[in-house]
Amino acid sequence: MVKLEFHDPSGVLEVTQPHAPRLASLEGKRIGFVSNEQWQAYRMLPLLKESLEADFPGVTVLPVDAFPQGNAVIGEEEVARLVKISGVDAVIVGNAA
Amino acid sequence: MKNAVSGGGLAPDAAMVTFPINMFLPGSDINPLQERRREIYEGLTGWKSQSARAAGPSKMLEVEGATYEQALDKANSLLLARKWGDGLPLLPATKERVDWILKGAALPRTHVLGKFPPLGGVTTVETCAIALAMAGGRPEYLPVLVAAVEACLAAEGFDQLQATSGGPFPAVIVNGPIAKQIRLNSGFGLLGPDPQHPAGASIGRALRLLQQNVGGALPGVGTMAMFGAMRYTNAVFAEAEDELPSGWLPHGTQRHGFDPGTNSVSVVFASGVANVRRRGAKKETPEEDALNGMWRMADFMRAPNLAVLAGWEKGTPGVMMIGPVVAQRMAEVGWTQQSIREFLWENSKIPMDQMRRAGAPAYIEIDSNPKTRASIDLDPWPISIKPDNIVLVVAGGGHPTHSYWLQAHSPTVPGRVIRTPETFERLLDEADRDLGGNV
């Protein structure tokens, strides 16, 4: 038999931070949106806000435009800072495509 | 999206709810969002990462066959099964082959060049050598590949360029004596294939493999490049520096300020190409021939190609390649590099009424760059902020008929000096031994 040994070409990934912990429940929580304003987000995210408010009495869902919007800005540190100081328990990011 | 999560240092998965693309189109039925809303709630509450940890250190793979041919076939099948191939035969990156390629390294094999976005694979000199080994490369190509990778990693928005639906691909322009030394093409058929000048194919293919295997740009998964744009080898070529008209500057000098004679790469992200038949057909004077050709080039450039917005201020709207014969004749009738750029810039401006009918202003309004957004007041609208943004390169076969326009989606045009090892001359001698005399 001929054995051929060769390198895995995919490199190495480094995990430097954990995913955010999940919430036990959405009851009474404060939820925000980070929107890239693309792909019908202007219709979908308001619908999702309505759904959350209907399904979880006591939940606070911030307006879709509570944080800066748009593909160009949502990845910036300033947006992350605003999200942190807003006191939200979770954010929903949309819409990717 | 998962790639971007990984590129941010998180485990390579994410709480996502995916829908067919139809729901994201204008006028779509968005009721599926309502129907599946509990999956989104689950993402905020019960979701757990399935990646307890990311991939570990680079591993060695192993296949066996009754013969070398069988083992080679199995290796290629394994690479395709793991989604690490490109559909063409690959040379497995054996330890022996990778060590051979690394003779071309001017940096330690473990030197980290950066994380290849969007997936974020750590990219070392060895990672490049593995890709180059798979792509059929040689040690003397490695310095150009490493410099090209460095330039790509320095490119503004490279994570988005990797993933975007327009599918921009790196066009690597090489200046300096290294181009000829390693058999990189600047003449006939410079965008390949050319067995007389094999370097560009291997270097570009290795870069593409890195983009996919380390950066995660797998079609339809990590890159939404709709058409793929012939990216098997990207575009890696040299400027025909020896044939520049007197007084004309090499591209690396004009764009990046490198001293003439410096080995360098310059990377433009191109999203398509157009062949421009620029030569006259009858009894034009040299002056008319030059001017008619310039108009044809400008006419190709004068299109509401919204990809140019990305590089409107700091990048480029594209690369205009003119052949050495053309450059020489144009210089003889008084054209300079600057006057060519200025003509093309001035005459590729688009009347705003044409922009409006194409819906282009909406894209200008949402651009992230305030200078680009402010350009909406310009009528006619220039495809870049200034003429110097147009990349003008003298390259191509010794023939007067065509020019070549590589339209760009290039926020920046990063350049890097190429570093060679002290033993580089010996590598070139070995190439002469293996490949025959350098033409």
Side-chain angles (χ1 to χ4, degrees):
Chain A
M1 294 294 279
V2 176
K3 186 162 63 174
L4 206 50
E5 195 178 24
F6 53 98
H7 286 271
D8 172 333
S10 62
V12 179
L13 296 177
E14 285 180 342
V15 176
T16 56
Q17 58 182 326
H19 283 284
R22 303 293 118 169
L23 304 175
S25 160
L26 299 183
E27 299 285 351
K29 294 296 191 294
R30 187 174 164 86
I31 311 296
F33 291 106
V34 173
S35 169
N36 67 353
E37 276 196 305
Q38 297 271 303
W39 307 106
Q40 308 302 303
Y42 80 100
R43 298 160 63 206
M44 291 188 199
L45 298 186
L47 177 61
L48 196 51
K49 175 175 160 62
E50 284 178 23
S51 300
L52 279 160
E53 289 167 344
D55 290 335
F56 299 98
V59 75
T60 300
V61 185
L62 302 188
V64 173
D65 61 357
F67 303 117
Q69 302 178 83
N71 263 338
V73 299
I74 61 173
E76 292 181 356
E77 287 298 321
E78 173 61 11
V79 176
R81 190 185 70 80
L82 292 171
V83 168
K84 280 182 186 171
I85 64 174
S86 72
V88 293
D89 298 294
V91 291
I92 297 169
V93 183
N95 282 336
Chain B
M1 189 66 192
K2 289 179 181 175
N3 281 348
V5 167
S6 172
L10 297 154
D13 60 357
M16 292 172 56
V17 180
T18 58
F19 296 90
I21 188 70
N22 286 350
M23 201 175 78
F24 300 95
L25 304 180
S28 63
D29 174 12
I30 61 171
N31 280 324
L33 177 71
Q34 174 79 357
E35 292 160 8
R36 294 177 57 191
R37 66 190 187 280
R38 296 199 183 279
E39 294 176 44
I40 297 173
Y41 304 162
E42 173 68 10
L44 298 173
T45 54
W47 178 82
K48 286 183 181 167
S49 170
Q50 298 303 306
S51 297
R53 58 183 294 276
S58 183
K59 297 189 294 272
M60 296 298 286
L61 307 169
E62 193 177 292
V63 294
E64 284 187 346
T67 63
Y68 177 78
E69 287 297 317
Q70 279 190 2
L72 185 61
D73 283 347
K74 282 189 174 181
N76 268 278
S77 295
L78 178 61
L79 289 166
L80 283 176
R82 298 276 181 96
K83 299 181 177 59
W84 291 330
D86 59 8
L88 299 175
L90 291 157
L91 294 174
T94 60
K95 181 179 181 305
E96 181 184 23
R97 184 171 291 278
V98 171
D99 287 349
W100 175 59
I101 295 284
L102 282 166
K103 289 182 177 178
L107 296 164
R109 68 190 296 159
T110 56
H111 178 83
V112 176
L113 302 172
K115 290 187 176 182
F116 216 113
L119 181 59
V122 176
T123 308
T124 63
V125 173
E126 183 188 67
T127 317
C128 294
I130 291 169
L132 190 55
M134 291 168 67
R138 296 182 52 88
E140 68 271 19
Y141 305 165
L142 186 61
V144 176
L145 176 62
V146 167
V149 168
E150 289 179 316
C152 285
L153 297 182
E156 187 176 305
F158 186 46
D159 55 341
Q160 294 174 37
L161 295 172
Q162 279 268 83
T164 191
S165 54
F169 60 92
V172 181
I173 305 162
V174 180
N175 281 104
I178 195 170
K180 278 195 169 176
Q181 290 168 340
I182 69 167
R183 300 159 200 257
L184 200 56
N185 202 349
S186 64
F188 281 107
L190 82 168
L191 296 177
D194 178 9
Q196 305 159 103
H197 301 92
S202 292
I203 295 167
R205 189 185 187 199
L207 181 55
R208 172 61 204 157
L209 291 172
L210 289 166
Q211 291 177 263
Q212 174 183 280
N213 298 339
V214 187
L218 186 67
V221 178
T223 172
M224 297 300 119
M226 284 182 63
F227 303 110
M230 304 163 282
R231 295 185 296 180
Y232 284 94
T233 63
N234 293 309
V236 182
F237 60 93
E239 187 168 41
E241 283 186 52
D242 293 350
E243 299 173 273
L244 288 173
S246 176
W248 287 34
L249 297 174
H251 167 70
T253 303
Q254 189 275 330
R255 184 82 193 198
H256 303 290
F258 299 137
D259 289 337
T262 301
N263 290 324
S264 66
V265 298
S266 178
V267 176
V268 171
F269 294 89
S271 59
V273 296
N275 190 79
V276 184
R277 187 179 292 191
R278 52 126 259 119
R279 177 175 61 90
K282 285 196 169 179
K283 297 179 180 175
E284 298 82 5
T285 65
E287 290 79 6
E288 289 169 341
D289 183 67
L291 187 59
N292 292 347
M294 288 293 291
W295 273 111
R296 289 193 206 122
M297 291 184 234
D299 289 347
F300 264 93
M301 297 165 68
R302 195 175 55 255
N305 164 31
L306 298 166
V308 303
L309 289 170
W312 196 81
E313 184 199 0
K314 292 183 286 187
T316 183
V319 180
M320 183 59 79
M321 300 169 68
I322 62 173
V325 173
V326 175
Q328 198 61 51
R329 292 306 301 271
M330 291 187 70
E332 287 168 8
V333 296
W335 288 90
T336 64
Q337 286 169 305
Q338 191 60 28
S339 67
I340 291 173
R341 277 193 203 92
E342 286 172 358
F343 182 97
L344 294 175
W345 184 76
E346 191 61 46
N347 294 294
S348 61
K349 290 179 179 176
I350 307 168
M352 191 48 80
D353 64 336
Q354 292 180 22
M355 293 285 282
R356 275 193 289 273
R357 78 184 180 193
Y363 276 94
I364 299 176
E365 287 170 4
I366 63 170
D367 197 89
S368 61
N369 185 327
K371 288 185 181 175
T372 308
R373 288 200 299 274
S375 75
I376 201 165
D377 295 328
L378 302 174
D379 187 6
W381 186 78
I383 62 173
S384 61
I385 195 170
K386 60 184 186 300
D388 278 357
N389 282 23
I390 297 169
V391 173
L392 180 67
V393 172
V394 176
H399 197 282
T401 302
H402 306 278
S403 294
Y404 215 54
W405 171 236
L406 285 83
Q407 65 188 41
H409 178 157
S410 200
T412 50
V413 181
R416 285 292 182 276
V417 170
I418 298 167
R419 288 160 294 196
T420 54
E422 291 180 3
T423 56
F424 196 61
E425 289 295 328
R426 191 186 315 153
L427 298 177
L428 299 179
D429 290 341
E430 290 171 6
D432 282 345
R433 179 197 66 201
D434 296 344
L435 303 177
N438 195 346
V439 292

